[in-house]
Amino acid sequence: RKPERIIFYRDGVSEGQFNDVIREELTAIEKACRSIEEGYRPAITFLVVQKRHHTRFFPSQNKDSVGKARNVPPGLVVDRGVCHPSQFDFYLCSHFGIQGTSRPTHYHVLLDENKLSADSLQEFTYQLCHVYCRCTRSVSIPAPVYYSHHLAFRARSYMAQLGGEMRPQEMNRKIEQVLSKNIGGAVFFA
């Protein structure tokens, strides 16, 4: 059964690249859906995940702090005041700050065809921070983003085996050769 909804988290994008990313990557996702079946068009929600910013939050009262570093508690969502006045964005501090000041993650919702409420999208994002298999605690970004980092690292090592610069079509052909030779039909996880 094909999914009726796609919720897509994208990392590594600066605010100046939002229009390019939504134009190019949304088109690629839609094309991939059409390649499965003509007319297949699931509703898409597209979020950008950013950790590189200078925004920090502190508890207003000492009794509200957690841990030795006296950070805000995990699950804190800020979607007013410091957020963009007309765009859909929010900050989520999903992890327990073990050392130093916790850095919240900034989420920008670039497209929401699923028409999710802010609360449901924030809650879903927070829940995804609890399912990362390499950690027994919640992590700072959703698990699918961590997994994409692992896959990108693995792809980089495959590309190093191929060597040199080449056109995308040639690169895809060579990657398929390396994968079929080295791992055959096996499934592997990042």
Side-chain angles (χ1 to χ4, degrees):
R1 194 173 120 178
K2 299 180 295 294
E4 296 171 11
R5 300 176 177 194
I6 295 175
I7 301 175
F8 189 84
Y9 290 86
R10 175 66 160 87
D11 189 19
V13 178
S14 68
E15 290 186 37
Q17 298 172 309
F18 284 177
N19 290 333
D20 295 336
V21 165
I22 200 76
R23 181 178 59 250
E24 292 174 23
E25 295 185 14
L26 185 61
T27 302
I29 292 169
E30 291 169 344
K31 182 179 176 183
C33 290
R34 283 193 306 274
S35 75
I36 294 171
E37 180 181 298
E38 191 60 41
Y40 173 51
R41 177 86 171 77
I44 298 172
T45 298
F46 196 110
L47 294 94
V48 169
V49 180
Q50 293 181 323
K51 286 290 288 181
R52 294 182 180 184
H53 56 77
H54 299 292
T55 305
R56 304 291 183 273
F57 299 112
F58 301 94
S60 57
Q61 298 179 8
N62 232 2
K63 66 180 176 83
D64 297 330
S65 65
V66 294
K68 292 179 185 176
R70 301 203 179 278
N71 283 305
V72 295
L76 174 79
V77 173
V78 176
D79 58 3
R80 293 185 198 99
V82 295
C83 295
H84 197 281
S86 62
Q87 296 175 358
F88 184 4
D89 69 325
F90 62 94
Y91 290 88
L92 169 62
C93 189
S94 57
H95 62 292
F96 184 88
I98 297 172
Q99 181 178 359
T101 304
S102 294
R103 180 184 298 187
T105 304
H106 193 188
Y107 296 89
H108 297 268
V109 182
L110 301 184
L111 176 71
D112 185 19
E113 294 175 345
N114 289 299
K115 298 185 179 18
L116 299 168
S117 71
D119 288 342
S120 63
L121 187 56
Q122 292 161 356
E123 178 68 25
F124 179 70
T125 301
Y126 183 50
Q127 289 173 1
L128 284 176
C129 294
H130 287 79
V131 295
Y132 182 55
C133 71
R134 294 185 180 188
C135 188
T136 58
R137 297 173 173 233
S138 61
V139 292
S140 63
I141 57 178
V145 177
Y146 271 116
Y147 296 138
S148 69
H149 289 173
H150 296 308
L151 290 172
F153 182 79
R154 180 160 296 180
R156 216 176 355 254
S157 70
Y158 286 134
M159 291 175 69
Q161 291 178 26
L162 301 174
E165 296 272 331
M166 55 187 82
R167 292 191 312 269
Q169 295 85 359
E170 185 181 352
M171 179 68 76
N172 288 341
R173 186 178 54 76
K174 287 197 172 200
I175 288 174
E176 286 176 17
Q177 288 173 348
V178 168
L179 291 176
S180 64
K181 182 173 62 176
N182 290 348
I183 63 170
V187 175
F188 62 92
F189 297 90

